[in-house]
Amino acid sequence: MTLWNGSYPFYPGANACFPYDTTRAVIVTVFLSMLATSLIILPGIRGRGRLFWFLRLVLGLFMGAMILTVQFTRDWETGWVQANTSYKSFSHVQVNADIGLHIGLAGLNITLRGNPVNQINETINYNEHFPWNFGADYDRSYSEGLEKGLPSPILYVAEKFSRQSPCAVHSQYRMAGHYVSLTLWLAFCTWLISILLFSMSVLLYGGLMLLLTATLIFFSLLFFSTARNTLKCPIQFGSVSLRTDYGESFWLTLAAGLLCLLLGLGIVILNSVQPEKLKLIFSLDKSSKEEMWDKSCLPAEPSCSAQDELMVPLGELCHVTATKL
């Protein structure tokens, strides 16, 4: 359970308008705060190391925020249809409305929005959530919707995903959501380990952990695609049907996986081919500067001439003539 069940209670009763997910807002706010706090030390970094440090910071926080955010979103699979449909059971009154289906890892949301919103002396603007995560009972939520008297289109779509439905897609989506969530949590842990390894200057193993993170992300996408590609019952509203496709969260997860893969491969390849450039990217190429400083502090070699030279750094070397007593 999340704060206010994941949305602000801007509405009374069952007539629901779902503005945005508060969990996503909290996660984005936390990561943006981390970014803003880290930028405070940016002016203290000199040279091109400042740009490399900023890019590492942005990419690292972006991957972590994406992996964590998609755990709680409800748009892994979405679909919309506009149709003339009956509004209430046992009634011949029809309304023109947009019907939306939004499937997430922990359940689905069904949206009903009238065209126009005010019809038959009512405001038609609903969004109902039916969970199937651990500790939630989908069929009980569906029964509560029946008791509340939700509009027929919402109940019709929700019934397709119930346990008793002949479509038999409830168990596939529920188990896929559990496996995807578990895999993404593992990916988030490996991402944290990679950040720790990079901070300890263990670049090769940090790149390998990024490759492991990408592998886990791709497995999560595979799990969800397997559930989505199962045979489904048509969701028909008169002459039109509600069809779904991959949503925003799916493509964001794919983008995060590809980014982890590219960065991991780049770090591993650079570590094998040109480790100096890799150290330069991570602001670890300090050996040459230290070597120059050490050489500059070496004493000057003594001269065999009658003139003695003082021992000074090479950078400030100057010949001084001493008069013999």
Side-chain angles (χ1 to χ4, degrees), residues 1-9 11 16-25 27 68-80 100-111 126-133 136 173 184 224 244-250 252-253:
M1 297 294 290
T2 59
L3 185 63
W4 295 311
N5 291 327
S7 62
Y8 283 121
Y11 50 86
C17 178
F18 183 69
Y20 56 89
D21 194 336
T22 57
T23 306
R24 180 189 298 187
I27 294 173
L68 188 59
T69 301
V70 295
Q71 288 270 12
F72 307 99
T73 54
R74 301 173 184 176
D75 54 357
W76 277 75
E77 184 178 349
T78 61
W80 285 91
L101 175 61
H102 315 277
I103 301 176
L105 303 181
L108 59 87
N109 276 70
I110 304 173
T111 304
Y126 289 82
N127 187 289
E128 294 295 328
H129 180 63
F130 299 89
W132 55 46
N133 57 316
Y173 273 100
L184 287 177
F224 188 81
T244 59
D245 202 352
Y246 292 118
E248 177 185 351
S249 295
F250 182 89
L252 285 176
T253 306

Side-chain angles (χ1 to χ4, degrees), residues 272-286:
S272 301
V273 179
Q274 293 181 335
E276 294 81 8
K277 289 187 177 181
L278 182 62
K279 292 180 180 180
L280 179 63
I281 294 175
F282 283 86
S283 303
L284 300 177
D285 192 16
K286 300 178 180 179

Side-chain angles (χ1 to χ4, degrees), residues 26-72:
V26 170
I27 294 173
V28 172
T29 302
V30 170
F31 276 86
L32 287 179
S33 301
M34 294 172 61
L35 177 61
T37 304
S38 302
L39 290 178
I40 297 177
I41 65 175
L42 186 61
I45 303 176
R46 297 181 179 180
R48 55 186 174 181
R50 177 186 303 175
L51 177 61
F52 291 141
W53 183 87
F54 179 74
L55 290 177
R56 296 198 308 268
L57 176 66
V58 173
L59 291 176
L61 290 179
F62 171 78
M63 289 187 295
M66 288 299 99
I67 296 172
L68 188 59
T69 301
V70 295
Q71 288 270 12
F72 307 99

Side-chain angles (χ1 to χ4, degrees), residues 19 26 49 57 61 104 135 140 149 162 164 176 181 200 212 214 237 250 263 269 306:
V26 170
L57 176 66
L61 290 179
R140 180 180 178 182
S162 64
Q164 292 77 19
S181 180
M200 297 171 60
L212 179 57
F237 294 95
F250 182 89
L263 291 178
I269 293 174

Side-chain angles (χ1 to χ4, degrees), residues 22 146 268:
T22 57
L146 288 173
V268 173

Side-chain angles (χ1 to χ4, degrees), residues 77-97:
E77 184 178 349
T78 61
W80 285 91
V81 68
Q82 183 177 355
N84 292 316
T85 179
S86 61
Y87 182 60
K88 293 290 184 179
S89 301
F90 310 106
S91 175
H92 298 288
V93 177
Q94 290 194 341
V95 296
N96 185 272

